[in-house]
Amino acid sequence: MKKPRVLVLWGYGINCEVETSYAFKLAGGDPEIVHLSEIFSGEKNLLDYQIICFPGGFLDGDHLGSAQACAHRFKHLKLKDGTYLWEKLMIFLKKGGLILGICNGFQLLVKMGLLPGGKYLGERKVTLTYNDSGKFEDRWVYLKVNPQTKCIFLEGLDELYLPVRHGEGKFIPQDEKVLEEIKSQGLIALQYIHPETRKPTLEYPYNPNGAVEAVAGLTDPTGRIFGLMPHPEAFNHFTNHPRWTREKNLTVAGLEIFKNAVNWVKANLL
Ligand SMILES: NC(=O)CC[C@H](N)C(=O)O
């Protein structure tokens, strides 16, 4: 059986590409780690893959704000064949491909305007900025999947426990109107919850950054683009869980996200 081809990008400060590629492999995909420079030079073509993944890290050293500089490259870079990289991305989406952005990758997706997408595709309507705590947050968080979400990556999932590690994870919409639109279309895919009430929370440290509406992850109206601040690739085996020696029958929650993507491509694109 053919395996979905997954483009896992690295370079310029991305540092989670090996773990991310490993997670896609465990999930049944055929990942390839490709340096961004090979995309920018046109040596590698986005259209040769069914899934594009932007992993976590510190693109361009977080200069100008996390993922900001790289977002400009994706929006404005002209390839040797005379086409724009952005046009390639649009063709990739038209062909039905999936896009996943994790942490720094999520920051990149919102800064280049792939999320929230839909009628705002290419426009920046939301951002991810400095944590309210004023420091880098490195902790595990409880998350709830929006039962209304169309996000393919989250199908069949309800609550998740995953690690976050970021300095700029606070979700902010441009204004109330944008927030209402995002909410009414079910684009808030994932929220930070309080471990006791199991409800979305603004309380620190359960909401580790002060994200408005406790947003931890967003999808676009097609459900094929997904970005999240937590790192699902860092929970790919039960021993990654901080309490694995005490808690039994742990679901390896992170891996489920990669399996959903791979299985969807197998069923719909291969
Ligand atoms: N782990 C990451 O991807 C971190 C993203 C970004 N550099 C930040 O600190 O917010």
Side-chain angles (χ1 to χ4, degrees):
M1 175 139 185
K2 269 173 86 177
K3 290 181 175 181
R5 298 202 64 201
V6 188
L7 174 67
V8 179
L9 292 162
W10 80 287
Y12 305 118
I14 291 176
N15 66 5
C16 298
E17 70 280 0
V18 175
E19 248 178 334
T20 304
S21 165
Y22 176 68
F24 270 115
K25 201 168 181 174
L26 284 183
D30 176 18
E32 183 184 348
I33 297 175
V34 172
H35 198 282
L36 279 167
S37 64
E38 293 176 275
I39 300 294
F40 299 153
S41 70
E43 254 169 273
K44 295 276 182 180
N45 190 343
L46 302 180
L47 304 179
D48 291 334
Y49 305 85
Q50 287 96 29
I51 303 174
I52 300 176
C53 180
F54 299 96
F58 294 79
L59 271 168
D60 303 294
D62 288 346
H63 290 312
L64 309 177
S66 296
Q68 175 60 59
C70 195
H72 281 307
R73 289 196 201 100
F74 270 90
K75 296 242 18 215
H76 305 297
L77 192 95
K78 199 173 186 176
L79 299 167
K80 280 199 190 109
D81 65 6
T83 62
Y84 282 89
L85 184 54
W86 183 254
E87 290 168 19
K88 280 249 154 64
L89 260 181
M90 293 303 105
I91 298 170
F92 175 87
L93 283 175
K94 277 213 181 78
K95 285 176 69 186
L98 300 185
I99 297 183
L100 174 64
I102 302 168
C103 198
N104 205 194
F106 180 25
Q107 293 163 336
L108 183 55
L109 295 186
V110 305
K111 292 187 184 187
M112 65 171 132
L114 282 182
L115 286 174
K119 71 173 188 181
Y120 293 134
L121 189 62
E123 288 176 57
R124 190 191 301 179
K125 288 290 170 184
V126 305
T127 199
L128 292 155
T129 189
Y130 298 103
N131 301 341
D132 274 355
S133 65
K135 62 184 173 72
F136 194 87
E137 293 291 337
D138 186 354
R139 60 180 75 255
W140 284 63
V141 293
Y142 293 90
L143 301 151
K144 170 106 185 138
V145 174
N146 176 356
Q148 259 97 56
T149 187
K150 283 203 273 178
C151 182
I152 282 154
F153 298 82
L154 295 173
E155 213 180 297
L157 300 176
D158 175 20
E159 283 185 13
L160 304 167
Y161 187 53
L162 293 173
V164 291
R165 28 184 145 100
H166 58 250
E168 296 177 45
K170 180 178 180 171
F171 166 84
I172 303 185
Q174 186 182 57
D175 52 36
E176 280 300 318
K177 183 174 159 258
V178 168
L179 182 62
E180 279 318 308
E181 276 174 4
I182 291 173
K183 275 165 78 173
S184 64
Q185 292 181 62
L187 306 186
I188 297 179
L190 205 56
Q191 286 170 298
Y192 302 107
I193 56 169
H194 193 286
E196 274 144 37
T197 63
R198 301 284 178 197
K199 295 244 172 354
T201 185
L202 299 180
E203 192 182 326
Y204 179 81
Y206 311 113
N207 178 332
N209 45 45
V212 171
E213 290 285 327
V215 172
L218 282 182
T219 191
D220 78 321
T222 69
R224 292 189 288 111
I225 308 178
F226 179 43
L228 74 170
M229 285 315 296
H231 287 261
E233 82 285 4
F235 190 11
N236 60 57
H237 188 264
F238 73 95
T239 55
N240 297 140
H241 192 287
R243 295 186 298 275
W244 72 273
T245 55
R246 280 169 280 154
E247 287 182 28
K248 299 288 164 227
N249 305 321
L250 291 166
T251 310
V252 184
L255 205 51
E256 299 302 314
I257 289 175
F258 298 94
K259 282 187 193 160
N260 273 338
V262 166
N263 292 339
W264 186 89
V265 170
K266 280 185 181 165
N268 294 281
L269 297 181
L270 295 185

